[in-house]
Every structure is written in C-alpha cells, then in structure tokens.
Amino acid sequence: ETGVTQSPTHLIKTRGQQVTLRCSSQSGHNTVSWYQQALGQGPQFIFQYYREEENGRGNFPPRFSGLQFPNYSSELNVNALELDDSALYLCASSLAETQYFGPGTRLLVL
Amino acid sequence: GESVGLHLPTLSVQEGDNSIINCAYSNSASDYFIWYKQESGKGPQFIIDIRSNMDKRQGQRVTVLLNKTVKHLSLQIAATQPGDSAVYFCAEKGASGGYQKVTFGTGTKLQVIP
C-alpha cells in the first residue's frame, strides 16, 4: 500500500452534473498530481499541485479544476460532466521524483 | 487529453521464464524514467526507476535498461510468477514549464501462464 487514499471508490453521475473527487496524500508528501485513465489506456496527466498552488497542467479544459489544502490533501472538481469523462481518476503524491498512486475513483457518466 | 492506442499489446510468458517488456519514449529531454505495474482495479504501483545518466539498474527480480540513443527502455523480470500478471507502463519525466511532468506510455499486458 502506498498510503495514498481516494474517495469515493466508485461514482455514477449524469451528463451536465458536477463531481468532486478527493485524495489524501502520503504523509509528508507536498505534491499531488491528478490523472485520468480511460479504459485500456495509460494515465493522462490533468494537473499538479505543489504547496497549495497549481504548478502544471495537461491538455484538459478549464472545467477540470482542483484544490490542495494545507495538509496537502487535494480535490479534483469536474463541471458540466460529459460522457467521455467516464474513466478512472488517479491521484499520486510525491515528495521527490517518485510518484505514489492511490487506488483511484471510477467515475461513470450516463 | 493526448491520444494513445486503444489496444494494449500483450506478452504471454510461461511461469518461471524471464519476461522482457519494451517501451519507446518520445522526449529526448526526459531525465527520469519509471516502470509501473497496474493490476486490475488498482492504481499503478512503482516498480523501478532510472535516471538518464545511467543505462542499467537492478532491483529485486527486475532490471531496467535505458538506451538513450534510440530512446528505448526495457523492463526485465526474472523467473516470472503468476503474481506478475498485470499491465506494465513505462513513464518518462522531464521539466516542462517549471514542473516535472510525467508522461505514461500505452502499456503492455503481461500474462503469465502457469
């Protein structure tokens, strides 16, 4: 186990709704990265937070947003959900170069 | 997001044999490479990493080889076991606009035949 936890484990939403996913990083890790993993594909980088600031973003629209809290836990928010947002959402925490992943949240958009 | 292949290449290996999983990376500026193992329903699990100033690194039953000339990375698993069955991803990391961005490859599914 990596010590990275995510909630909820599974979630079903309908198109147009909003969703918030949560991640608790491994103790002492000040950097959290979020990834989207569609079925049969590798994780795609969404964005990264370092000490409560977004310091990098992948090719995802602004309706994907996030937060990092003083205890380094993090949230991923997705507005105006689309069917293609159905995926496994992974967070990874790190202190140095190696990222440690949580189990993910499986999101299904109907 | 970036487009990647929809069909995972599959490697079938007899239990006890050695496995070699290959990966081509794209960014010659990448300075750090990682192999992850992902079992069904779980997040990626760190296996081994290597920096760009090295060409080989060994762990427990695993060896990573890096060939920067042809931008190729491989993962060798010795004496493959049924518990090694999973999808394996290589990932590259390099500085991008002030942060370290990790880019994952397509993945290879390893099936171990008992």
Side-chain angles (χ1 to χ4, degrees):
Chain A
E1 298 301 323
T2 62
V4 179
T5 60
Q6 292 186 243
S7 62
T9 55
H10 296 82
L11 200 54
I12 300 174
K13 291 283 188 179
T14 56
R15 258 187 323 179
Q17 284 189 311
Q18 179 266 343
V19 69
T20 298
L21 310 182
R22 295 178 175 82
C23 172
S24 290
S25 58
Q26 190 176 125
S27 179
H29 286 189
N30 55 18
T31 303
V32 173
S33 303
W34 284 92
Y35 293 82
Q36 180 195 67
Q37 186 177 23
L39 199 62
Q41 299 185 14
Q44 298 295 298
F45 176 76
I46 303 175
F47 44 56
Q48 181 180 88
Y49 279 82
Y50 171 69
R51 294 188 174 183
E52 303 179 57
E53 297 284 334
E54 182 183 301
N55 74 335
R57 190 178 184 92
N59 188 24
F60 281 81
R63 59 189 185 84
F64 286 77
S65 63
L67 283 174
Q68 187 179 30
F69 300 99
N71 66 355
Y72 302 137
S73 66
S74 178
E75 287 183 354
L76 164 65
N77 299 289
V78 187
N79 294 322
L81 283 167
E82 301 176 359
L83 296 180
D84 284 350
D85 295 334
S86 295
L88 179 68
Y89 288 85
L90 296 159
C91 81
S93 75
S94 57
L95 180 61
E97 288 185 304
T98 304
Q99 294 187 352
Y100 296 91
F101 283 82
T105 293
R106 176 74 63 186
L107 173 65
L108 177 61
V109 182
L110 302 176
Chain B
E2 299 154 358
S3 62
V4 292
L6 291 176
H7 302 288
L8 289 173
T10 300
L11 174 67
S12 295
V13 176
Q14 203 72 36
E15 181 180 356
D17 287 351
N18 297 335
S19 303
I20 300 176
I21 301 171
N22 296 303
C23 174
Y25 64 92
S26 56
N27 186 356
S28 57
S30 294
D31 56 7
Y32 179 64
F33 303 88
I34 318 106
W35 279 100
Y36 285 95
K37 171 187 180 183
Q38 188 172 27
E39 296 174 280
S40 182
K42 297 184 178 180
Q45 175 190 352
F46 172 86
I47 301 173
I48 192 168
D49 57 3
I50 188 168
R51 294 184 182 279
S52 59
N53 61 353
M54 303 170 67
D55 53 21
K56 180 179 180 179
R57 190 166 187 218
Q58 289 183 292
Q60 187 178 13
R61 278 201 310 119
V62 294
T63 301
V64 56
L65 299 177
L66 175 63
N67 184 331
K68 294 181 288 295
T69 303
V70 295
K71 293 191 283 188
H72 183 268
L73 196 65
S74 69
L75 176 70
Q76 300 178 2
I77 304 173
T80 313
Q81 302 169 358
D84 295 328
S85 293
V87 176
Y88 289 80
F89 292 98
C90 67
E92 56 184 297
K93 192 174 188 182
S96 176
Y99 71 100
Q100 293 283 313
K101 178 182 177 181
V102 176
T103 302
F104 281 77
T106 307
T108 297
K109 184 176 181 180
L110 177 65
Q111 290 181 331
V112 181
I113 305 165

Coordinates of all heavy atoms in Angstrom, one line a residue, chain B residues 13-82:
Chain B
V13 N 3.9 -15.2 -21.2 CA 5.1 -15.9 -20.7 C 4.8 -17.1 -19.8 O 3.9 -17.0 -19.0 CB 6.0 -14.8 -19.9 CG1 7.2 -15.5 -19.4 CG2 6.3 -13.6 -20.8
Q14 N 5.6 -18.1 -20.0 CA 5.4 -19.3 -19.1 C 6.0 -19.0 -17.7 O 7.1 -18.3 -17.6 CB 6.2 -20.4 -19.7 CG 5.8 -21.8 -19.3 CD 4.4 -22.2 -19.9 OE1 4.2 -21.9 -21.1 NE2 3.6 -22.9 -19.2
E15 N 5.3 -19.4 -16.7 CA 5.8 -19.2 -15.4 C 7.2 -19.8 -15.2 O 7.6 -20.9 -15.7 CB 4.9 -20.0 -14.4 CG 5.3 -19.8 -12.9 CD 4.4 -20.6 -12.0 OE1 3.4 -21.2 -12.4 OE2 4.6 -20.6 -10.8
G16 N 8.1 -19.0 -14.6 CA 9.5 -19.4 -14.4 C 10.4 -18.8 -15.5 O 11.6 -18.7 -15.2
D17 N 9.9 -18.4 -16.6 CA 10.7 -17.8 -17.7 C 10.9 -16.4 -17.4 O 10.3 -15.8 -16.5 CB 10.0 -17.9 -19.1 CG 10.0 -19.4 -19.6 OD1 10.7 -20.2 -19.0 OD2 9.4 -19.6 -20.6
N18 N 11.9 -15.8 -18.1 CA 12.1 -14.3 -18.0 C 11.2 -13.6 -18.9 O 10.9 -14.0 -20.0 CB 13.6 -14.0 -18.3 CG 14.5 -14.7 -17.3 OD1 14.2 -15.0 -16.1 ND2 15.8 -14.9 -17.7
S19 N 10.8 -12.4 -18.5 CA 10.0 -11.5 -19.3 C 10.7 -10.2 -19.7 O 11.5 -9.7 -18.8 CB 8.7 -11.1 -18.6 OG 8.0 -12.2 -18.1
I20 N 10.5 -9.8 -20.9 CA 11.1 -8.5 -21.3 C 10.0 -7.7 -21.9 O 9.4 -8.0 -22.9 CB 12.2 -8.7 -22.3 CG1 13.4 -9.5 -21.8 CG2 12.8 -7.3 -22.8 CD1 14.5 -9.9 -22.7
I21 N 9.8 -6.5 -21.3 CA 8.8 -5.6 -21.8 C 9.5 -4.3 -22.3 O 10.3 -3.8 -21.6 CB 7.8 -5.2 -20.6 CG1 7.1 -6.5 -20.1 CG2 6.8 -4.2 -21.1 CD1 6.3 -6.2 -18.8
N22 N 9.1 -3.9 -23.5 CA 9.8 -2.8 -24.1 C 9.0 -1.6 -24.2 O 7.7 -1.6 -24.2 CB 10.2 -3.2 -25.6 CG 11.2 -4.4 -25.6 OD1 12.3 -4.3 -25.0 ND2 10.9 -5.5 -26.2
C23 N 9.6 -0.5 -24.3 CA 9.0 0.8 -24.3 C 9.8 1.8 -25.1 O 11.0 1.9 -24.9 CB 8.7 1.3 -22.9 SG 8.0 3.0 -22.8
A24 N 9.2 2.5 -26.0 CA 9.9 3.6 -26.7 C 9.4 4.9 -26.2 O 8.1 5.1 -26.1 CB 9.6 3.5 -28.2
Y25 N 10.3 5.8 -25.8 CA 9.8 7.1 -25.3 C 10.1 8.2 -26.3 O 10.8 8.0 -27.3 CB 10.4 7.4 -24.0 CG 11.9 7.6 -24.0 CD1 12.5 8.9 -24.1 CD2 12.8 6.5 -23.7 CE1 13.9 9.0 -24.1 CE2 14.2 6.7 -23.7 CZ 14.7 8.0 -23.9 OH 16.1 8.1 -23.9
S26 N 9.4 9.3 -26.1 CA 9.4 10.3 -27.2 C 10.3 11.6 -27.0 O 10.7 12.2 -27.9 CB 8.0 10.8 -27.5 OG 7.4 11.3 -26.3
N27 N 10.5 11.9 -25.7 CA 11.1 13.2 -25.4 C 12.6 13.0 -25.0 O 12.9 12.4 -24.0 CB 10.4 13.9 -24.2 CG 10.9 15.3 -23.9 OD1 11.8 15.7 -24.6 ND2 10.2 15.9 -23.0
S28 N 13.5 13.4 -25.9 CA 14.9 13.3 -25.6 C 15.4 14.1 -24.4 O 16.4 13.9 -23.9 CB 15.7 13.6 -26.9 OG 15.4 15.0 -27.3
A29 N 14.5 15.0 -24.0 CA 14.9 15.9 -22.8 C 14.5 15.2 -21.5 O 14.8 15.7 -20.4 CB 14.3 17.2 -22.9
S30 N 13.8 14.1 -21.6 CA 13.4 13.4 -20.3 C 14.6 12.9 -19.6 O 15.5 12.4 -20.2 CB 12.5 12.2 -20.6 OG 11.2 12.7 -21.2
D31 N 14.6 13.1 -18.2 CA 15.8 12.8 -17.5 C 15.5 11.7 -16.4 O 16.4 11.4 -15.6 CB 16.3 14.0 -16.8 CG 15.3 14.8 -16.0 OD1 14.2 14.2 -15.8 OD2 15.6 15.9 -15.5
Y32 N 14.3 11.2 -16.4 CA 14.0 10.2 -15.3 C 12.9 9.3 -15.9 O 11.9 9.8 -16.5 CB 13.5 11.0 -14.1 CG 13.1 10.2 -12.9 CD1 14.0 9.4 -12.3 CD2 11.7 10.2 -12.5 CE1 13.6 8.6 -11.1 CE2 11.3 9.5 -11.4 CZ 12.3 8.7 -10.7 OH 11.9 8.0 -9.6
F33 N 13.1 8.0 -15.7 CA 12.1 7.0 -16.3 C 11.7 6.1 -15.2 O 12.5 5.7 -14.3 CB 12.8 6.3 -17.4 CG 13.3 7.2 -18.5 CD1 14.6 7.7 -18.4 CD2 12.5 7.5 -19.6 CE1 15.1 8.6 -19.3 CE2 13.0 8.4 -20.5 CZ 14.3 8.9 -20.4
I34 N 10.4 5.7 -15.3 CA 9.8 4.8 -14.2 C 9.0 3.7 -14.9 O 8.4 3.9 -15.9 CB 8.9 5.7 -13.3 CG1 9.4 7.0 -13.0 CG2 8.5 4.9 -12.1 CD1 8.8 8.2 -13.7
W35 N 9.1 2.6 -14.3 CA 8.2 1.5 -14.6 C 7.1 1.3 -13.5 O 7.5 1.3 -12.3 CB 8.9 0.2 -14.8 CG 9.6 0.1 -16.2 CD1 10.9 0.3 -16.5 CD2 9.0 -0.3 -17.4 NE1 11.1 0.1 -17.8 CE2 10.0 -0.3 -18.4 CE3 7.7 -0.7 -17.8 CZ2 9.7 -0.6 -19.7 CZ3 7.4 -1.0 -19.1 CH2 8.4 -1.0 -20.1
Y36 N 5.9 1.2 -14.0 CA 4.8 1.0 -13.0 C 4.0 -0.3 -13.4 O 4.0 -0.7 -14.6 CB 3.7 2.1 -13.1 CG 4.2 3.4 -12.4 CD1 4.7 4.4 -13.1 CD2 3.9 3.5 -11.0 CE1 5.1 5.6 -12.5 CE2 4.3 4.7 -10.4 CZ 4.9 5.7 -11.1 OH 5.3 6.9 -10.5
K37 N 3.5 -1.0 -12.4 CA 2.7 -2.2 -12.6 C 1.3 -1.9 -12.2 O 1.1 -1.3 -11.1 CB 3.3 -3.3 -11.7 CG 2.4 -4.6 -11.6 CD 3.0 -5.5 -10.6 CE 2.1 -6.8 -10.5 NZ 2.7 -7.7 -9.4
Q38 N 0.3 -2.2 -13.0 CA -1.1 -1.9 -12.6 C -1.9 -3.2 -12.7 O -2.1 -3.7 -13.8 CB -1.7 -0.8 -13.5 CG -3.1 -0.4 -13.0 CD -3.6 0.8 -13.7 OE1 -3.3 1.1 -14.9 NE2 -4.5 1.6 -13.1
E39 N -2.4 -3.6 -11.6 CA -3.3 -4.8 -11.5 C -4.7 -4.3 -11.7 O -5.0 -3.1 -11.4 CB -3.1 -5.5 -10.2 CG -1.7 -6.1 -10.0 CD -1.5 -6.7 -8.7 OE1 -1.2 -6.0 -7.7 OE2 -1.5 -7.9 -8.6
S40 N -5.5 -5.2 -12.1 CA -6.9 -4.9 -12.4 C -7.6 -4.2 -11.2 O -7.6 -4.8 -10.1 CB -7.7 -6.1 -12.8 OG -9.0 -5.8 -13.1
G41 N -8.2 -3.1 -11.4 CA -9.0 -2.4 -10.3 C -8.1 -1.6 -9.3 O -8.6 -1.1 -8.3
K42 N -6.8 -1.5 -9.6 CA -5.9 -0.8 -8.7 C -5.2 0.3 -9.4 O -5.1 0.4 -10.6 CB -4.9 -1.8 -8.1 CG -5.5 -2.9 -7.3 CD -4.4 -3.8 -6.6 CE -5.0 -4.9 -5.8 NZ -4.0 -5.7 -5.1
G43 N -4.5 1.2 -8.6 CA -3.7 2.2 -9.2 C -2.3 1.7 -9.5 O -1.9 0.6 -9.1
P44 N -1.6 2.4 -10.4 CA -0.2 2.0 -10.7 C 0.7 1.9 -9.5 O 0.6 2.7 -8.6 CB 0.2 3.1 -11.7 CG -1.0 3.7 -12.2 CD -2.0 3.6 -11.1
Q45 N 1.5 0.8 -9.5 CA 2.4 0.6 -8.4 C 3.8 0.8 -8.9 O 4.2 0.1 -9.9 CB 2.2 -0.8 -7.9 CG 3.2 -1.3 -6.8 CD 3.0 -2.8 -6.5 OE1 2.1 -3.4 -7.0 NE2 3.9 -3.3 -5.7
F46 N 4.6 1.6 -8.2 CA 6.0 1.8 -8.6 C 6.8 0.5 -8.5 O 6.7 -0.3 -7.6 CB 6.6 2.8 -7.6 CG 8.1 3.0 -7.8 CD1 8.6 3.9 -8.7 CD2 9.0 2.3 -7.0 CE1 10.0 4.1 -8.9 CE2 10.4 2.5 -7.1 CZ 10.8 3.4 -8.0
I47 N 7.6 0.2 -9.6 CA 8.4 -0.9 -9.6 C 9.9 -0.5 -9.5 O 10.6 -1.0 -8.6 CB 8.3 -1.7 -10.9 CG1 6.8 -2.2 -11.1 CG2 9.2 -3.0 -10.9 CD1 6.6 -2.8 -12.5
I48 N 10.4 0.3 -10.5 CA 11.8 0.6 -10.5 C 11.9 1.9 -11.3 O 11.1 2.2 -12.2 CB 12.6 -0.5 -11.1 CG1 14.1 -0.3 -10.9 CG2 12.3 -0.8 -12.6 CD1 15.0 -1.5 -11.1
D49 N 13.0 2.7 -11.1 CA 13.2 3.9 -11.8 C 14.7 3.9 -12.3 O 15.5 3.2 -11.8 CB 12.8 5.1 -11.0 CG 13.6 5.2 -9.7 OD1 14.4 4.4 -9.4 OD2 13.3 6.1 -8.9
I50 N 14.9 4.8 -13.2 CA 16.3 5.0 -13.7 C 16.5 6.4 -14.1 O 15.6 7.0 -14.8 CB 16.7 4.0 -14.8 CG1 18.1 4.0 -15.1 CG2 15.8 4.2 -16.0 CD1 18.6 2.9 -16.0
R51 N 17.6 7.0 -13.9 CA 17.9 8.4 -14.3 C 18.6 8.3 -15.7 O 19.2 7.3 -16.0 CB 18.8 9.1 -13.3 CG 18.1 9.3 -12.0 CD 19.0 10.1 -11.1 NE 18.4 10.3 -9.8 CZ 17.4 11.3 -9.5 NH1 17.1 12.1 -10.5 NH2 16.9 11.4 -8.4
S52 N 18.6 9.4 -16.4 CA 19.1 9.4 -17.7 C 20.7 9.3 -17.8 O 21.2 9.0 -18.9 CB 18.7 10.7 -18.5 OG 19.2 11.8 -17.8
N53 N 21.3 9.4 -16.7 CA 22.8 9.3 -16.6 C 23.2 7.8 -16.4 O 24.4 7.6 -16.2 CB 23.4 10.2 -15.6 CG 23.0 10.0 -14.2 OD1 22.1 9.1 -14.0 ND2 23.6 10.6 -13.3
M54 N 22.2 6.9 -16.4 CA 22.5 5.5 -16.2 C 22.0 4.7 -17.4 O 21.1 5.2 -18.1 CB 21.8 5.0 -14.9 CG 22.2 5.8 -13.6 SD 21.2 5.3 -12.2 CE 21.7 3.6 -12.0
D55 N 22.5 3.5 -17.6 CA 21.9 2.7 -18.6 C 21.4 1.4 -18.1 O 20.7 0.6 -18.9 CB 23.0 2.4 -19.8 CG 24.3 1.9 -19.2 OD1 24.3 1.3 -18.1 OD2 25.3 2.0 -19.9
K56 N 21.6 1.1 -16.8 CA 21.1 -0.1 -16.2 C 20.9 0.1 -14.8 O 21.7 0.7 -14.1 CB 22.0 -1.3 -16.5 CG 21.6 -2.6 -16.0 CD 22.6 -3.7 -16.3 CE 22.3 -5.0 -15.8 NZ 23.2 -6.1 -16.2
R57 N 19.8 -0.5 -14.3 CA 19.6 -0.5 -12.8 C 18.8 -1.8 -12.4 O 17.9 -2.2 -13.2 CB 18.7 0.7 -12.4 CG 18.7 0.9 -10.9 CD 18.2 2.2 -10.5 NE 18.3 2.4 -9.1 CZ 17.4 3.0 -8.3 NH1 16.4 3.5 -8.8 NH2 17.6 3.1 -7.0
Q58 N 19.3 -2.4 -11.4 CA 18.7 -3.7 -10.9 C 17.9 -3.5 -9.6 O 18.4 -2.8 -8.7 CB 19.7 -4.7 -10.8 CG 20.3 -5.2 -12.2 CD 21.3 -6.3 -12.1 OE1 22.4 -6.1 -11.6 NE2 21.0 -7.5 -12.5
G59 N 16.8 -4.2 -9.5 CA 16.1 -4.3 -8.3 C 15.9 -5.8 -8.0 O 16.6 -6.7 -8.5
Q60 N 14.9 -6.1 -7.2 CA 14.6 -7.5 -6.8 C 13.9 -8.1 -8.0 O 12.7 -7.8 -8.2 CB 13.8 -7.5 -5.5 CG 13.6 -8.9 -5.0 CD 12.8 -8.9 -3.7 OE1 12.2 -7.9 -3.3 NE2 12.8 -10.0 -3.0
R61 N 14.5 -9.0 -8.7 CA 14.0 -9.7 -9.8 C 13.7 -8.9 -11.0 O 13.2 -9.3 -12.0 CB 12.7 -10.5 -9.5 CG 12.8 -11.8 -8.8 CD 11.6 -12.7 -9.0 NE 10.3 -12.1 -8.6 CZ 9.3 -11.9 -9.5 NH1 9.4 -12.3 -10.7 NH2 8.2 -11.4 -9.1
V62 N 13.9 -7.6 -10.9 CA 13.7 -6.7 -12.1 C 14.9 -5.9 -12.4 O 15.7 -5.6 -11.6 CB 12.5 -5.7 -11.8 CG1 11.2 -6.4 -11.7 CG2 12.8 -4.9 -10.6
T63 N 15.1 -5.7 -13.7 CA 16.2 -4.9 -14.3 C 15.6 -3.9 -15.3 O 14.8 -4.3 -16.1 CB 17.2 -5.8 -14.9 OG1 17.7 -6.7 -14.0 CG2 18.4 -4.9 -15.5
V64 N 16.0 -2.7 -15.2 CA 15.6 -1.7 -16.3 C 16.8 -1.3 -17.1 O 17.9 -1.1 -16.5 CB 14.9 -0.5 -15.6 CG1 15.8 0.2 -14.6 CG2 14.5 0.5 -16.7
L65 N 16.7 -1.3 -18.4 CA 17.7 -0.9 -19.3 C 17.3 0.3 -20.1 O 16.1 0.4 -20.5 CB 18.0 -2.0 -20.3 CG 18.5 -3.4 -19.7 CD1 18.7 -4.4 -20.8 CD2 19.8 -3.2 -18.9
L66 N 18.2 1.3 -20.2 CA 17.9 2.5 -20.9 C 18.9 2.7 -22.0 O 20.1 2.7 -21.8 CB 18.0 3.7 -19.9 CG 17.8 5.1 -20.5 CD1 16.4 5.3 -21.1 CD2 18.0 6.1 -19.4
N67 N 18.4 2.9 -23.2 CA 19.2 3.2 -24.4 C 18.8 4.6 -24.9 O 17.8 4.7 -25.6 CB 19.0 2.1 -25.5 CG 20.0 2.4 -26.6 OD1 20.3 3.5 -26.9 ND2 20.3 1.3 -27.3
K68 N 19.5 5.6 -24.5 CA 19.1 7.0 -24.9 C 19.3 7.2 -26.4 O 18.7 8.1 -26.9 CB 19.9 8.0 -24.0 CG 19.6 7.9 -22.6 CD 20.4 8.9 -21.8 CE 21.8 8.5 -21.7 NZ 22.0 7.3 -20.9
T69 N 20.2 6.5 -27.0 CA 20.5 6.7 -28.4 C 19.3 6.5 -29.3 O 19.0 7.2 -30.2 CB 21.6 5.8 -28.9 OG1 22.8 6.1 -28.1 CG2 22.0 6.1 -30.3
V70 N 18.5 5.4 -28.9 CA 17.3 5.1 -29.7 C 16.1 5.3 -28.9 O 15.0 4.9 -29.3 CB 17.4 3.6 -30.2 CG1 18.5 3.4 -31.2 CG2 17.5 2.7 -29.0
K71 N 16.2 6.0 -27.7 CA 15.1 6.3 -26.9 C 14.2 5.1 -26.6 O 13.0 5.0 -26.8 CB 14.2 7.5 -27.5 CG 15.0 8.8 -27.6 CD 14.1 10.0 -27.9 CE 13.8 10.0 -29.4 NZ 13.1 11.2 -29.8
H72 N 14.9 4.1 -26.0 CA 14.3 2.8 -25.7 C 14.5 2.4 -24.3 O 15.6 2.6 -23.7 CB 14.8 1.8 -26.7 CG 14.2 0.4 -26.5 ND1 14.7 -0.5 -25.7 CD2 13.1 -0.1 -27.0 CE1 13.9 -1.6 -25.7 NE2 12.9 -1.4 -26.5
L73 N 13.5 1.9 -23.7 CA 13.5 1.5 -22.3 C 13.0 0.1 -22.2 O 12.0 -0.3 -22.9 CB 12.6 2.4 -21.5 CG 12.6 2.5 -20.0 CD1 14.0 3.1 -19.5 CD2 11.5 3.4 -19.5
S74 N 13.6 -0.8 -21.4 CA 13.0 -2.1 -21.2 C 13.0 -2.5 -19.8 O 13.8 -2.0 -19.0 CB 13.8 -3.1 -22.0 OG 15.1 -3.3 -21.5
L75 N 12.1 -3.4 -19.5 CA 11.9 -4.0 -18.1 C 12.1 -5.5 -18.2 O 11.4 -6.1 -19.0 CB 10.6 -3.6 -17.5 CG 10.3 -4.2 -16.1 CD1 11.1 -3.6 -15.1 CD2 8.8 -4.1 -15.8
Q76 N 13.0 -6.0 -17.5 CA 13.2 -7.4 -17.5 C 12.8 -8.0 -16.1 O 13.2 -7.4 -15.1 CB 14.7 -7.8 -17.8 CG 15.2 -7.3 -19.1 CD 16.7 -7.5 -19.3 OE1 17.3 -8.1 -18.5 NE2 17.2 -7.1 -20.5
I77 N 12.0 -9.0 -16.2 CA 11.5 -9.6 -15.0 C 12.1 -11.1 -15.0 O 11.8 -11.8 -15.9 CB 10.0 -9.7 -14.9 CG1 9.4 -8.3 -15.0 CG2 9.5 -10.3 -13.5 CD1 7.9 -8.2 -15.0
A78 N 12.8 -11.4 -14.0 CA 13.4 -12.8 -13.9 C 12.4 -13.7 -13.2 O 11.7 -13.3 -12.3 CB 14.7 -12.7 -13.1
A79 N 12.4 -14.9 -13.7 CA 11.6 -16.0 -13.1 C 10.2 -15.5 -12.8 O 9.7 -15.5 -11.7 CB 12.3 -16.5 -11.8
T80 N 9.5 -15.2 -13.9 CA 8.2 -14.6 -13.9 C 7.2 -15.5 -13.1 O 7.2 -16.7 -13.3 CB 7.7 -14.4 -15.3 OG1 8.7 -13.7 -16.1 CG2 6.4 -13.5 -15.2
Q81 N 6.4 -14.9 -12.3 CA 5.5 -15.6 -11.4 C 4.0 -15.2 -11.8 O 3.8 -14.1 -12.3 CB 5.8 -15.2 -9.9 CG 7.2 -15.6 -9.5 CD 7.5 -15.0 -8.1 OE1 6.7 -14.3 -7.5 NE2 8.7 -15.2 -7.6
P82 N 3.0 -16.0 -11.4 CA 1.7 -15.6 -11.7 C 1.3 -14.3 -11.1 O 0.5 -13.5 -11.8 CB 0.9 -16.8 -11.1 CG 1.8 -17.9 -11.1 CD 3.2 -17.4 -10.9

